[in-house]
Amino acid sequence: MDDQKFLQHIFNGYASCFHKGFWHTSSNYSDMTTADLNFFSTLGQSLGFRVRREMNWQYPRDLCWCQTNETKSDFDANTLLYLERENKDGRVGDTIEKMLNPINAPLVPYLVALFGWVKPSTLSKAKKQISSSLLPNQSFLLISWVGDNQNGDNWILEGWCLSGQKATTRKVDTRIDENGHWYAVAQLSNVWLASGADEACENSE
């Protein structure tokens, strides 16, 4: 499995399992952050990695997957995946800049940014920011809840993956069930499109 397929599968799993986080219409954004970090913690541990929070004193990282032989002196060389999680549209640019800082994580092959709210215009700028600064040895997965209004109920869950100068996108519709819980409506085909192509949102009953 190549790097892009690996990150695409991570997004596919996040979308299909999102309902298990029990994100309710009455929940706050701290609840969503906790559920997302727990998802990636469990996934990393299940794959055999050591999961660490707030790693690296100079540039604290929300979550990392590290090789099991990782020590404090060589944690960067043995970090496979580095994730940042934010809720506010206004923090998107600064978060991307932090992750792409060559002093922060130049040896980490997989970078994942997960945003609980992003405006379409902000997301477009973030993609350009990543495309212009990502190192050749790195791949980036951008997971975004996209909507014009932070408190609205019309959201698209989008995955955007850049690896080896090839960008692909997958958009998934979201719904609220009869009990008030959010869930993602994902087709089994898990369609990813080349970024820039017509990207119809996936819908299924």
Side-chain angles (χ1 to χ4, degrees):
M1 182 183 300
D2 62 27
D3 295 336
Q4 191 164 65
K5 288 291 185 183
F6 176 66
L7 291 178
Q8 288 175 349
H9 275 288
I10 288 179
F11 175 80
N12 293 343
Y14 175 84
S16 63
C17 293
F18 184 79
H19 66 284
K20 296 181 180 179
F22 299 104
W23 170 236
H24 194 266
T25 50
S26 64
S27 299
N28 59 40
Y29 284 94
S30 294
D31 298 329
M32 188 176 182
T33 296
T34 299
D36 283 344
L37 292 176
N38 286 342
F39 171 84
F40 276 90
S41 292
T42 300
L43 179 59
Q45 291 168 352
S46 298
L47 292 173
F49 296 103
R50 181 180 300 167
V51 176
R52 294 187 60 185
R53 296 286 312 280
E54 299 301 329
M55 196 173 89
N56 186 344
W57 289 110
Q58 186 175 5
Y59 295 94
R61 304 169 184 172
D62 283 348
L63 184 145
C64 287
W65 294 355
C66 302
Q67 306 289 349
T68 54
N69 63 344
E70 168 268 334
T71 65
K72 289 185 178 179
S73 62
D74 64 357
F75 64 82
D76 198 49
N78 287 293
T79 300
L80 180 83
L81 182 145
Y82 159 35
L83 176 139
E84 289 286 348
R85 172 67 171 80
E86 289 290 346
N87 280 316
K88 296 183 178 181
D89 176 83
R91 295 292 304 275
V92 171
D94 289 342
T95 300
I96 298 297
E97 182 179 357
K98 170 187 173 182
M99 297 182 73
L100 296 177
N101 187 325
I103 301 175
N104 183 9
L107 301 178
V108 180
Y110 300 117
L111 305 178
V112 179
L114 206 170
F115 296 114
W117 172 49
V118 183
K119 295 178 182 177
S121 58
T122 305
L123 181 59
S124 178
K125 292 178 182 178
K127 292 175 181 179
K128 293 178 181 177
Q129 187 178 3
I130 296 167
S131 298
S132 64
S133 302
L134 190 67
L135 296 176
N137 61 304
Q138 294 180 320
S139 299
F140 205 111
L141 173 62
L142 185 57
I143 302 175
S144 307
W145 288 83
V146 187
D148 292 314
N149 185 349
Q150 185 175 15
N151 298 314
D153 58 3
N154 185 19
W155 295 90
I156 294 296
L157 176 60
E158 178 174 333
W160 181 82
C161 180
L162 178 64
S163 180
Q165 298 185 334
K166 178 182 178 182
T168 54
T169 303
R170 182 182 177 211
K171 295 182 180 181
V172 180
D173 196 11
T174 62
R175 309 277 178 83
I176 302 174
D177 68 17
E178 64 275 10
N179 296 314
H181 292 100
W182 285 93
Y183 67 101
V185 184
Q187 293 180 346
L188 294 177
S189 58
N190 291 331
V191 176
W192 285 80
L193 301 173
S195 185
D198 293 334
E199 299 167 348
C201 183
E202 297 177 52
N203 294 282
S204 66
E205 298 297 336

